[in-house]
Amino acid sequence: MSTAALPLQPPPVVEPAGEAAPAFSPLYQQIKALITRELQAGVWKPGESIPSELDLAARFKVSQGTVRKAIDELAAENLLVRRQGKGTFVATHSERQIQYRFLRLEPDDGVARDMERRLIDCRRVRAPADVARALDGKSGDSVVQLRRLLLAQGRPVVFDEIWLPGGLFKGLSAERLSDYKGPMYGMFETEFGVRMIRADEKIRALAADAAVAEWLAVPQGAPLLSVERLSFTYGDKPVELRRGLYNTEQHFYRNALS
Amino acid sequence: MSTAALPLQPPPVVEPAGEAAPAFSPLYQQIKALITRELQAGVWKPGESIPSELDLAARFKVSQGTVRKAIDELAAENLLVRRQGKGTFVATHSERQIQYRFLRLEPDDGVARDMERRLIDCRRVRAPADVARALDGKSGDSVVQLRRLLLAQGRPVVFDEIWLPGGLFKGLSAERLSDYKGPMYGMFETEFGVRMIRADEKIRALAADAAVAEWLAVPQGAPLLSVERLSFTYGDKPVELRRGLYNTEQHFYRNALS
DNA sequence: AAGTGGTCTAGACCACCTG
DNA sequence: AGGTGGTCTAGACCACTTA
């Protein structure tokens, strides 16, 4: 409905100034941008289906093939999910199958089990300088800081420390977190309308300090995997900084290169 | 030339036995498989261009769009590289820009510099059980084992231990390795015709033992990133096992999630 | 100017899912 | 049966490269 008649600016075929400008935008890229705007605006909610390709083609006054190419790219970026015969759906972190979309940890014995989530604490604090910088905010901004453990078969494997912009997560509390069943990113979607689209991780090895050693039940100085993740929502806006410390004695971080 | 008239089996539309079989193969997938075969057979060498889309369409007796979709997927898998106006080229590890296609290590200060490669040794040995298993061989098979260091600004950062199937790498020696300028995977391509297509990495943190500590000039017990990589060539055939130990004091391993 | 990949269209038909 | 995404075609035109 909000995508009514739309003029679809005729492709800005040539730019006036002969600079190093984009200077050309295929129709399907424009369509893609329009669809992304609708997603961002929440016109279609995570898990819901978007209009059919023919619908969208009619709305945008382009051929089905052009809409198709736009959707293809959005599906490749994991913003949409195609299901033959059923429709195209808005991606979500709430579904069983893709529950741990961003967690690359696997047990050595290969059997993927569910992990237990145990919240340690959840506080509102003033952002330290490095956290503020990562989240595109100012030092001293209000942020939600939470810490938690992930346990496999009762044994702690991951210690997570998470920072979220206070403005986006008003009302987030230890109670609400504990009450919520399902993955954290699913909760962020449904309760706060914040959808994690992509993330960047920086990984290093470091020695456990006294506090973390206790949480993970390893000796002080034990080598741990440090995974610093910055997650982004639409428009490449950073909305979560997370630092995980992984005990990799019986698990490993998997990565596929191509 | 080897792709002459080709009958292109008419899509096996329906399978006789009503089992859980593939039972359907789009034309463009068949084309994709044919192109992959040519690549594997070395008809087109790394860095060279393949025939134009119209050429291939004529050869295969399909429309350009169908060839296009096949090539699109091969490009997405990094087997081919498209260059508008010039043609489509066989991917290679030898080009300057994509030199370290599989190395995800970055310096903290962001300035990507070239790393110095220093070979430690190169020997032919009998494969230990775990190496043989990874390479789909038998325990005791002949393998080339080599060890080397990567140095950034004169300081050792990576200690690599690499195993290669002896049969594929006849004549590989310390001399030839030292003489060769350019990345190792580039040498494998041009000297041995072995092309690395994709790889799987398992990452953990561990403490430096005495030997590695000396190579990397860190204290014994220092936390290191262990990166175990299994690389595959065409047909998902494993052709390299590599275990790298990274000093992550001034570098980190980057990974993008989506 | 000629050749290459890139975009866009319009229409046909197929495979899959649901009432 | 009707709707959805998936495949395939044939042809037009555009953008980029090279000669």
Side-chain angles (χ1 to χ4, degrees), chain A residues 35-150:
Chain A
I35 296 177
T36 305
R37 262 211 298 116
E38 309 271 310
L39 285 171
Q40 180 167 9
V43 177
W44 311 306
K45 302 265 180 276
E48 289 179 5
S49 74
I50 71 172
S52 77
E53 296 179 351
L54 282 172
D55 272 8
L56 291 171
R59 284 195 201 182
F60 296 145
K61 303 249 183 79
V62 298
S63 79
Q64 183 187 6
T66 301
V67 170
R68 193 166 177 72
K69 181 143 188 181
I71 293 182
D72 275 346
E73 291 205 351
L74 291 170
E77 293 167 17
N78 293 311
L79 294 192
L80 296 176
V81 177
R82 290 173 166 295
R83 280 183 226 154
Q84 179 171 155
K86 302 180 73 172
T88 301
F89 298 78
V90 182
T92 173
H93 286 266
S94 294
E95 280 173 20
R96 197 77 190 81
Q97 337 139 355
I98 46 169
Q99 183 137 155
Y100 294 107
R101 196 174 122 193
F102 283 179
L103 181 59
R104 306 295 268 279
L105 204 63
E106 293 182 24
D108 284 336
D109 58 29
V111 188
R113 298 175 200 81
D114 264 358
M115 297 186 98
E116 180 193 344
R117 294 178 283 265
R118 190 176 297 170
L119 184 65
I120 296 172
D121 54 19
C122 171
R123 308 174 293 171
R124 308 191 89 82
V125 300
R126 306 258 140 229
D130 56 338
V131 172
R133 199 176 330 112
L135 294 178
D136 263 5
K138 296 184 305 296
S139 190
D141 282 357
S142 162
V143 295
V144 181
Q145 177 192 15
L146 55 98
R147 301 188 298 167
R148 66 148 184 192
L149 288 175
L150 292 181

Side-chain angles (χ1 to χ4, degrees), chain B residues 185-198:
Chain B
Y185 284 163
M187 175 188 182
F188 291 173
E189 272 177 12
T190 57
E191 307 281 305
F192 300 95
V194 177
R195 276 178 271 174
M196 306 300 182
I197 299 307
R198 65 173 197 90

Side-chain angles (χ1 to χ4, degrees), chain B residues 1 23 36 42 46 58 60 70 74 87-88 93 97 99 113 125 139 156 177 205 210 213 221 241 248:
Chain B
M1 41 176 77
T36 304
F60 296 146
L74 291 169
T88 301
H93 287 266
Q97 338 139 355
Q99 183 138 159
R113 298 176 201 80
V125 300
S139 188
L177 274 165
L241 177 63
T248 56

Side-chain angles (χ1 to χ4, degrees), chain B residues 33-96:
Chain B
L34 287 172
I35 296 176
T36 304
R37 261 210 299 117
E38 309 273 310
L39 285 170
Q40 180 167 8
V43 177
W44 312 306
K45 302 265 180 278
E48 290 179 2
S49 73
I50 71 171
S52 76
E53 295 179 351
L54 282 172
D55 272 9
L56 291 172
R59 283 196 201 181
F60 296 146
K61 301 251 184 74
V62 298
S63 79
Q64 183 187 7
T66 301
V67 170
R68 196 170 174 71
K69 181 143 191 184
I71 292 181
D72 275 347
E73 291 206 351
L74 291 169
E77 293 168 17
N78 294 312
L79 294 192
L80 295 176
V81 178
R82 292 173 164 295
R83 281 183 224 153
Q84 179 171 158
K86 301 181 72 174
T88 301
F89 298 78
V90 182
T92 173
H93 287 266
S94 295
E95 280 173 22
R96 197 78 192 80

Side-chain angles (χ1 to χ4, degrees), chain B residues 24-34 66 69-70 73:
Chain B
F24 170 66
S25 176
L27 239 190
Y28 78 88
Q29 288 286 5
Q30 301 180 41
I31 305 291
K32 186 181 165 190
L34 287 172
T66 301
K69 181 143 191 184
E73 291 206 351

Side-chain angles (χ1 to χ4, degrees), chain B:
Chain B
M1 41 176 77
S2 90
T3 37
L6 89 140
L8 250 201
Q9 69 260 43
V13 184
V14 176
E15 289 289 282
E19 290 298 82
F24 170 66
S25 176
L27 239 190
Y28 78 88
Q29 288 286 5
Q30 301 180 41
I31 305 291
K32 186 181 165 190
L34 287 172
I35 296 176
T36 304
R37 261 210 299 117
E38 309 273 310
L39 285 170
Q40 180 167 8
V43 177
W44 312 306
K45 302 265 180 278
E48 290 179 2
S49 73
I50 71 171
S52 76
E53 295 179 351
L54 282 172
D55 272 9
L56 291 172
R59 283 196 201 181
F60 296 146
K61 301 251 184 74
V62 298
S63 79
Q64 183 187 7
T66 301
V67 170
R68 196 170 174 71
K69 181 143 191 184
I71 292 181
D72 275 347
E73 291 206 351
L74 291 169
E77 293 168 17
N78 294 312
L79 294 192
L80 295 176
V81 178
R82 292 173 164 295
R83 281 183 224 153
Q84 179 171 158
K86 301 181 72 174
T88 301
F89 298 78
V90 182
T92 173
H93 287 266
S94 295
E95 280 173 22
R96 197 78 192 80
Q97 338 139 355
I98 48 168
Q99 183 138 159
Y100 294 106
R101 196 173 124 196
F102 283 179
L103 182 59
R104 307 297 268 279
L105 203 63
E106 294 183 21
D108 284 338
D109 58 30
V111 188
R113 298 176 201 80
D114 263 357
M115 297 185 99
E116 180 194 341
R117 294 177 284 264
R118 190 175 299 169
L119 183 65
I120 298 174
D121 54 18
C122 171
R123 305 174 295 171
R124 308 191 90 81
V125 300
R126 306 259 139 226
D130 55 339
V131 172
R133 200 175 328 112
L135 295 178
D136 264 8
K138 295 184 306 299
S139 188
D141 282 358
S142 161
V143 295
V144 181
Q145 178 192 16
L146 55 99
R147 302 188 299 166
R148 66 152 185 189
L149 288 175
L150 291 180
L151 301 90
Q153 318 208 260
R155 303 232 286 276
V157 176
V158 175
F159 172 80
D160 268 331
E161 203 160 9
I162 302 173
W163 292 269
L164 304 160
L168 288 178
F169 291 88
K170 291 193 203 303
L172 179 59
S173 65
E175 287 73 33
R176 283 182 76 181
L177 274 165
S178 305
D179 291 352
Y180 191 89
K181 304 300 170 216
M184 192 180 290
Y185 284 163
M187 175 188 182
F188 291 173
E189 272 177 12
T190 57
E191 307 281 305
F192 300 95
V194 177
R195 276 178 271 174
M196 306 300 182
I197 299 307
R198 65 173 197 90
D200 255 327
E201 292 191 332
K202 296 181 179 183
I203 304 168
R204 358 174 62 104
L206 50 71
D209 65 22
V212 172
E214 191 160 343
W215 287 118
L216 290 178
V218 295
Q220 189 170 342
L224 298 176
L225 208 62
S226 158
V227 180
E228 191 180 301
R229 178 193 299 171
L230 187 58
S231 303
F232 300 83
T233 188
Y234 298 104
D236 265 350
K237 194 178 146 203
V239 285
E240 180 203 51
L241 177 63
R242 175 184 295 216
R243 191 215 204 181
L245 294 168
Y246 298 6
N247 175 358
T248 56
E249 278 174 316
Q250 290 170 0
H251 295 74
F252 61 89
Y253 181 107
R254 176 189 294 282
N255 196 26
L257 308 177
S258 76

